Amino acid sequence: MRRTLAAAVREAVRGGRLAPGTRLPSSRRLAAELGLARNTVADAYGDLVAEGWLTARRGSGTLVADRADRADRIDGTGRAGARPIVSRPAAGPSRTPRHDLIPGNPDLSAFPRAAWLAAARRALTTAPDDALGYGDPRGRPELRTALADHLARARGVYVSPEHVLICAGVSHGLRILGRVLAGRGARSVAVESYRLDRQYGLLEAAGLETLPLPLDTHGTDPVPPAGTDAVLLTPAHQFPVGTALRRDRRTAVVDWAGRTGGLVLEDDRDGEFRFGHRSVGALQALAPDRVVYLGTAGQTLAPGLRLAWMALPPALAGEAVAAKGRIDSSEVVSQLTMAEFIASGAYGRHVRAVRRRYRDRRDSLVTALARHAPQVRVLGVAGGLHAVLGLPPGTERPVLESATREGLRVAGLSRYRHERALNGVTDALVVGYGVPTDAQWPQALSALMRILS
Amino acid sequence: MRRTLAAAVREAVRGGRLAPGTRLPSSRRLAAELGLARNTVADAYGDLVAEGWLTARRGSGTLVADRADRADRIDGTGRAGARPIVSRPAAGPSRTPRHDLIPGNPDLSAFPRAAWLAAARRALTTAPDDALGYGDPRGRPELRTALADHLARARGVYVSPEHVLICAGVSHGLRILGRVLAGRGARSVAVESYRLDRQYGLLEAAGLETLPLPLDTHGTDPVPPAGTDAVLLTPAHQFPVGTALRRDRRTAVVDWAGRTGGLVLEDDRDGEFRFGHRSVGALQALAPDRVVYLGTAGQTLAPGLRLAWMALPPALAGEAVAAKGRIDSSEVVSQLTMAEFIASGAYGRHVRAVRRRYRDRRDSLVTALARHAPQVRVLGVAGGLHAVLGLPPGTERPVLESATREGLRVAGLSRYRHERALNGVTDALVVGYGVPTDAQWPQALSALMRILS
């Protein structure tokens, strides 16, 4: 019925029987009129909004999208009324959270559209014709050269452009590395007890067992048990707990790799977001022959760019390029644009600007907690786009339930715990302060305080 | 030694000891001076050219690239001298062909850079913030809507935007479809006796057997043997032979699909390049529930955009989206740009312009052959970016050898023959006229006539 209803509305819009701007009946009313469940109507509306046929704005209902005005929209005047709104239709607060505090995503309103377009223009104006072909499966040489320079300066990474591999995201990089490890006969990868769940599935899909590492009051003990082939770590800012790997443990895991021939996979996804004066350089520089460094533009710019990178040990480079293959090449215009964006200094300026923005949010979060919820312990806020808010034992689930009622989308720490983790930390919320816009953040913070105080 | 030499040159350039514009010794002279094999030096130079450290132009040798002028290059003045040249260094004619006539690639100098940038500006100016996030794994709704409209008009494809799936290329699409078929328990896919070799490897990688279909004087007989689960065809313009699937055979294969529940995969990669008045619409319109349509911007615009699309039978859409997954999402700015490029009419204008350009090349090829090589039979020139030139039996290999001596990169028809093909066509060259620029084409054509006359 959802599909039939959506098809009927689509045909009516296409055929002109529903004109742009027409307000549709509320899902409740239409459901009553048609004798359908209200969810069926709401889902059909949601599909049509996602497809661009309808728009939905809180307070003004569901309207037929302004598709007939396409000729106006594309003349570049950028009229606000023609701006497509792709969002779920208004519904009960439990179905459409008002604020997204899931960690790991940036504020997309901070994307530097004008500077990116200017870099695209410069890059595409000067690029050779053959840059538009299939090209090198490692990625465009301009981007690999710019990244090798940038990573050396910003993160202390030691790599030559020929051993940089452009990929579509850290997850894509891990899929490639999983294949490389499996191809070398590896069987197991040690991982942190708390980790980004989807990453480990990628290693397991390559046939590798993931073994959780013990966690103590100083953070992860990163030296894997005997017989482990590799270890995946987030040394600069443990995800999600937020600790930096201690100096002696950095040395210990690199020694392990040198001694056993094991490989260290360094996920540095939010390594550029360190708020204090003491920066934590990449582990990779300690042993460029034994550490694969992974970084991404998904947190500093936007996930939709599908731009990430690996600095590979030279001995692994050929296998990684082969495991990537030509089908998985990245789009070239964004690669050329990113190269130009980095080389012109625009990337450095952008990272500094958003770092200030996130630091201000972190500061306001810590201040608000001290005032309204002093019982909450704040962890892991020296960097990154999220904080861990420690809760009294047994309270994580009820706090999550009240978050849902308040329209907050937020994660519990237990969600990130490896199913065979040797020990646990605490009940906690993992609060991402990246996603809300500057305008939304004060409201999101107030809602968070209501559920914690 | 190759790596050591490359590292030494890289350091010298980086450190300023080799200034931009400096001419390096020839590979022959440096090899003699260092006591190395000439190939070692040539390969090291090649690596450095590919990385952007050096440039190589026939006639002016190998120079240090203009990297120091980066501040000039990025101010947007677009000085010709700063334009990076990424190509292999000059060497013997057998190693660096002067003309690329491999079929399947477009003229990259025809890429509409200014119009693309203008569309990118309009698209990125009006896109909602959340367009820059991970987004719908099917691809941006703006692009799916624009494609559904365009494919209906240009190719007669019948699909709603919700069943369009954006992918990175026809090969990526086939990888996804291979997984979907295998997931449904399929075992075998019938394929044409002559076909693009890398495609079939993708189906085989999914665990599917490929069965070659018989070929007669009317082209492929597309009805698969009993028990086959799917058939992959190029109905509008058989690749590489160039015939269009006959009307009764179009009906027959669709009937087969309806009768047996089999699936037809329609590769329409060059379907927009039909030169005569009679257009050959997509097979998909005959049975949208049984045919998957695959198209691409790789031939009409540029392979580096990594933009292709599938029109999926509704019953298959969910599985295909799941088989694609989030990691394989396409870059969003190029998706938004392509949507705007199509909706503004710029795409239609561009396709008409390059169609005229390729038709002119086809005409000059046919005319030149009639004059200089009347013994050659020309096949498959009603459309597409290539022609098949039938040769006397036993002459394909010697003609390919003289092509190499003339600096022509060209394919023999036998290269595309399925290893278990039931019958063969003829000795032939497959000549792609897409890649050379307008300026290069007359020379490429002359060289081709020299080896055929």
Side-chain angles (χ1 to χ4, degrees), chain A residues 169-183:
Chain A
V170 172
S171 295
H172 184 215
L174 287 175
R175 187 168 76 184
I176 293 167
L177 293 169
R179 283 190 208 136
V180 169
L181 284 167

Side-chain angles (χ1 to χ4, degrees), chain B residues 132-450:
Chain B
L132 298 162
Y134 285 103
D136 191 321
R138 293 176 296 181
R140 288 297 306 166
E142 296 92 335
L143 179 55
R144 290 185 283 112
T145 302
L147 278 169
D149 282 0
H150 171 77
L151 294 173
R153 277 182 284 112
R155 305 293 303 129
V157 170
Y158 182 88
V159 67
S160 84
E162 69 189 305
H163 301 128
V164 174
L165 181 61
I166 307 300
C167 51
V170 172
S171 295
H172 184 215
L174 287 175
R175 186 167 77 184
I176 292 166
L177 293 169
R179 284 190 207 135
V180 169
L181 285 166
R184 288 196 160 208
R187 299 206 173 161
S188 58
V189 179
V191 300
E192 291 159 312
S193 280
Y194 288 81
R195 77 289 181 259
L196 200 56
D197 33 1
R198 65 173 177 272
Q199 290 192 343
Y200 300 76
L202 291 167
L203 296 172
E204 284 162 2
L208 300 162
E209 188 187 6
T210 62
L211 307 169
L213 292 162
L215 193 65
D216 60 26
T217 50
H218 304 295
T220 296
D221 178 353
V223 177
T228 313
D229 301 292
V231 55
L232 170 56
L233 297 170
T234 48
H237 188 236
Q238 204 282 325
F239 187 93
V241 175
T243 44
L245 195 62
R246 232 172 44 180
R247 181 185 300 262
D248 58 328
R249 292 184 163 179
R250 289 164 64 97
T251 314
V253 70
V254 163
D255 285 350
W256 164 83
R259 201 170 59 242
T260 65
L263 194 68
V264 180
L265 314 182
E266 177 177 24
D267 176 355
D268 194 46
R269 58 177 62 231
D270 59 6
E272 302 243 26
F273 294 134
R274 189 88 197 166
F275 302 134
H277 290 293
R278 204 171 60 89
S279 109
V280 180
L283 190 65
Q284 188 265 3
L286 296 179
D289 288 339
R290 306 289 347 146
V291 180
V292 180
Y293 173 92
L294 297 111
T296 177
Q299 307 231 336
T300 51
L301 285 164
L305 293 181
R306 314 305 299 134
L307 275 181
W309 41 83
M310 290 191 260
L312 290 161
L316 225 58
E319 286 155 74
V321 173
K324 184 190 179 201
R326 238 162 84 132
I327 292 177
D328 287 345
S329 295
S330 298
E331 198 271 333
V332 294
V333 179
S334 62
Q335 289 190 68
L336 295 167
T337 303
M338 184 72 182
E340 173 60 31
F341 200 68
I342 294 171
S344 68
Y347 184 62
R349 284 192 297 277
H350 171 74
V351 168
R352 288 191 292 276
V354 287
R355 191 191 290 138
R356 281 193 297 273
R357 176 186 295 231
Y358 295 133
R359 193 192 53 210
D360 290 349
R361 291 201 191 161
R362 189 265 323 246
D363 291 347
S364 61
L365 173 63
V366 172
T367 306
L369 286 167
R371 182 176 308 161
H372 300 291
Q375 81 288 3
V376 170
R377 284 175 305 136
V378 191
L379 307 169
V381 289
L385 298 180
H386 68 271
V388 174
L389 310 188
L391 300 172
T395 61
E396 183 175 309
R397 181 184 293 262
V399 168
L400 283 173
E401 286 165 0
S402 50
T404 303
R405 284 193 300 273
E406 276 288 338
L408 283 176
R409 199 165 158 246
V410 63
L413 182 58
S414 57
R415 161 176 171 172
Y416 300 104
R417 191 176 174 197
H418 194 288
E419 59 185 3
R420 297 187 305 282
L422 303 176
N423 39 16
V425 181
T426 176
D427 278 40
L429 290 189
V430 186
V431 172
Y433 43 76
V435 176
T437 63
D438 280 348
Q440 293 162 342
W441 172 242
Q443 288 181 303
L445 190 57
S446 299
L448 185 65
M449 291 309 118
R450 279 197 293 280

Side-chain angles (χ1 to χ4, degrees), chain B residues 62-80:
Chain B
T62 305
L63 310 177
V64 176
D66 215 352
R67 292 162 47 85
D69 278 344
R70 185 179 272 171
D72 285 344
R73 197 183 110 222
I74 59 184
D75 72 0
T77 55
R79 299 180 321 127

Side-chain angles (χ1 to χ4, degrees), chain A residues 184-371:
Chain A
R184 289 196 159 207
R187 299 206 174 160
S188 58
V189 178
V191 300
E192 291 158 313
S193 280
Y194 287 81
R195 78 288 181 255
L196 200 56
D197 34 1
R198 65 172 177 273
Q199 290 193 342
Y200 300 76
L202 292 167
L203 296 173
E204 283 161 5
L208 299 162
E209 189 188 5
T210 62
L211 307 169
L213 291 162
L215 192 64
D216 60 28
T217 49
H218 305 295
T220 295
D221 178 354
V223 177
T228 313
D229 300 293
V231 56
L232 170 56
L233 297 169
T234 47
H237 188 236
Q238 205 281 324
F239 186 92
V241 176
T243 44
L245 194 63
R246 231 172 46 179
R247 181 184 299 263
D248 59 327
R249 292 183 164 181
R250 289 164 64 97
T251 314
V253 70
V254 163
D255 286 350
W256 165 83
R259 198 170 63 241
T260 65
L263 194 68
V264 180
L265 314 181
E266 176 176 26
D267 176 355
D268 194 47
R269 59 177 61 232
D270 58 6
E272 303 243 24
F273 293 134
R274 189 89 196 164
F275 302 134
H277 289 293
R278 204 171 59 91
S279 112
V280 179
L283 191 65
Q284 188 265 1
L286 296 180
D289 288 341
R290 306 285 352 143
V291 180
V292 180
Y293 173 93
L294 297 112
T296 176
Q299 307 231 336
T300 50
L301 285 164
L305 294 180
R306 314 306 298 133
L307 276 182
W309 40 84
M310 290 191 262
L312 290 162
L316 225 57
E319 286 155 76
V321 173
K324 185 189 178 201
R326 237 162 86 130
I327 293 177
D328 286 344
S329 296
S330 298
E331 198 270 332
V332 294
V333 179
S334 63
Q335 289 189 68
L336 295 166
T337 303
M338 185 71 182
E340 173 60 31
F341 201 68
I342 294 171
S344 68
Y347 184 62
R349 284 192 296 277
H350 171 74
V351 168
R352 288 190 293 276
V354 286
R355 192 191 288 137
R356 280 193 297 274
R357 177 187 295 232
Y358 296 132
R359 191 192 53 210
D360 289 348
R361 291 200 192 162
R362 189 263 323 246
D363 291 346
S364 60
L365 172 64
V366 171
T367 306
L369 285 167
R371 182 176 310 160

Side-chain angles (χ1 to χ4, degrees), chain A residues 3 6-7 10-11 14 47 49-53 67 70 73-79 82-87 104-105 107-111 113 116-117 120-134 136 138 140-142 144-146 148-149 159-163 168 171-172 175 179 198 202 269 302-306 314-315 324 326-334 340 343-345 437, chain B residues 3 6 10 14 47 49-53 67 70 73-79 82-87 104-105 107-111 113 116-117 120-134 136 138 140-142 144-146 148-149 158-163 168 171-172 175 179 198 202 269 302-307 314-315 324 326-334 340 343-345 437:
Chain A
R3 186 170 289 173
R10 213 179 285 119
E11 273 310 301
R14 207 198 300 257
D47 293 347
V49 168
E51 289 167 33
W53 295 94
R67 292 164 46 85
R70 183 178 273 169
R73 196 185 111 224
I74 59 183
D75 72 1
T77 55
R79 298 181 318 130
R83 181 160 171 151
I85 302 293
V86 180
S87 61
N105 287 311
D107 178 353
L108 295 172
S109 76
F111 184 79
R113 297 188 187 207
W116 187 259
L117 282 167
R121 183 176 55 76
R122 294 192 304 262
L124 202 50
T125 305
T126 56
D129 286 334
D130 69 358
L132 297 162
Y134 284 103
D136 190 322
R138 291 176 295 180
R140 288 297 306 167
E142 297 90 336
R144 290 185 282 113
T145 302
D149 282 359
V159 67
S160 84
E162 68 189 304
H163 301 128
S171 295
H172 184 215
R175 187 168 76 184
R179 283 190 208 136
R198 65 172 177 273
L202 292 167
R269 59 177 61 232
L305 294 180
R306 314 306 298 133
K324 185 189 178 201
R326 237 162 86 130
I327 293 177
D328 286 344
S329 296
S330 298
E331 198 270 332
V332 294
V333 179
S334 63
E340 173 60 31
S344 68
T437 63
Chain B
R3 186 169 290 173
R10 214 179 286 119
R14 206 200 299 259
D47 293 347
V49 168
E51 289 167 32
W53 296 94
R67 292 162 47 85
R70 185 179 272 171
R73 197 183 110 222
I74 59 184
D75 72 0
T77 55
R79 299 180 321 127
R83 183 161 170 148
I85 302 294
V86 180
S87 60
N105 286 312
D107 178 353
L108 296 172
S109 76
F111 184 79
R113 298 188 187 206
W116 187 259
L117 282 167
R121 183 176 55 76
R122 294 192 304 264
L124 202 50
T125 305
T126 57
D129 286 335
D130 69 359
L132 298 162
Y134 285 103
D136 191 321
R138 293 176 296 181
R140 288 297 306 166
E142 296 92 335
R144 290 185 283 112
T145 302
D149 282 0
Y158 182 88
V159 67
S160 84
E162 69 189 305
H163 301 128
S171 295
H172 184 215
R175 186 167 77 184
R179 284 190 207 135
R198 65 173 177 272
L202 291 167
R269 58 177 62 231
L305 293 181
R306 314 305 299 134
L307 275 181
K324 184 190 179 201
R326 238 162 84 132
I327 292 177
D328 287 345
S329 295
S330 298
E331 198 271 333
V332 294
V333 179
S334 62
E340 173 60 31
S344 68
T437 63

Side-chain angles (χ1 to χ4, degrees), chain B residues 87-114:
Chain B
S87 60
R88 304 291 297 179
S94 66
R95 297 192 51 221
T96 49
R98 282 194 302 277
H99 299 292
D100 187 346
L101 300 178
I102 295 292
N105 286 312
D107 178 353
L108 296 172
S109 76
F111 184 79
R113 298 188 187 206

